[in-house]
Amino acid sequence: MMREWATVVTWQHGVAQVRCEQRAGCGGCHAKQSCGTRILNKLAPETQHHLEVASALPLVPGQRVEVGITEGSLLRSAFLVYMLPLLGLIGGAAIMQATVGTDPAAACGGVAGGVAGFLCARYLARHTHETHNNQLVILQVALPPSSLHVRD
């Protein structure tokens, strides 16, 4: 299970909208100066991701929750996003090269196959999003900010 802490933005009718902040690197090691992930994250602007998660517990804005998703779901998503367009590109180029036999036709077939693979991935992502295995789940709920009091 892949886990990440998020902040609740809103909660209405059993659905919480949460915000996950992008970290500057994976935080998995101490190679901060030579880490390629950290360097690439510095180039991109800071981003926040807003996600919807089902929650039977009432949540308040500002509350922290730990959300999780299964590794299998993450791998299926990566396959959809990366492999289907790539397979479409290679397949379209190969078909056009075999039938027409010219490089411009193979290039056009590659572009058409890549676009077809992207559209196929988009269609499958929309229709498999609702399955139970692809849903985010709330694993832990922190105390709401109003219940924490600091005494002098």
Side-chain angles (χ1 to χ4, degrees), residues 6-10 17 19 59-65 142-146 148:
T7 305
V8 175
V9 177
T10 61
Q17 185 179 21
R19 178 182 66 234
L59 302 171
V60 297
Q63 192 171 8
R64 301 281 291 169
V65 294
L143 291 174
S146 62
L148 299 175

Side-chain angles (χ1 to χ4, degrees), residues 7-116:
T7 305
V8 175
V9 177
T10 61
W11 180 84
Q12 294 177 358
H13 308 294
V15 177
Q17 185 179 21
V18 298
R19 178 182 66 234
C20 296
E21 293 86 14
Q22 180 179 357
R23 291 185 265 161
C26 65
C29 65
H30 297 288
K32 291 182 175 33
Q33 298 301 325
S34 62
C35 180
T37 303
R38 181 180 164 98
I39 293 169
L40 286 175
N41 283 338
K42 280 187 169 185
L43 294 175
E46 291 294 319
T47 58
Q48 298 178 352
H49 303 283
H50 292 271
L51 307 167
E52 289 187 353
V53 184
S55 171
L57 296 172
L59 302 171
V60 297
Q63 192 171 8
R64 301 281 291 169
V65 294
E66 184 180 31
V67 294
I69 191 167
T70 61
E71 285 92 355
S73 175
L74 200 58
L75 289 174
R76 280 189 299 277
S77 298
F79 178 81
L80 283 175
V81 170
Y82 294 111
M83 292 303 291
L84 283 181
L86 181 63
L87 291 174
L89 178 122
I90 293 170
I95 289 171
M96 290 302 286
Q97 182 68 33
T99 57
V100 178
T102 63
D103 289 341
C108 291
V111 170
V115 169

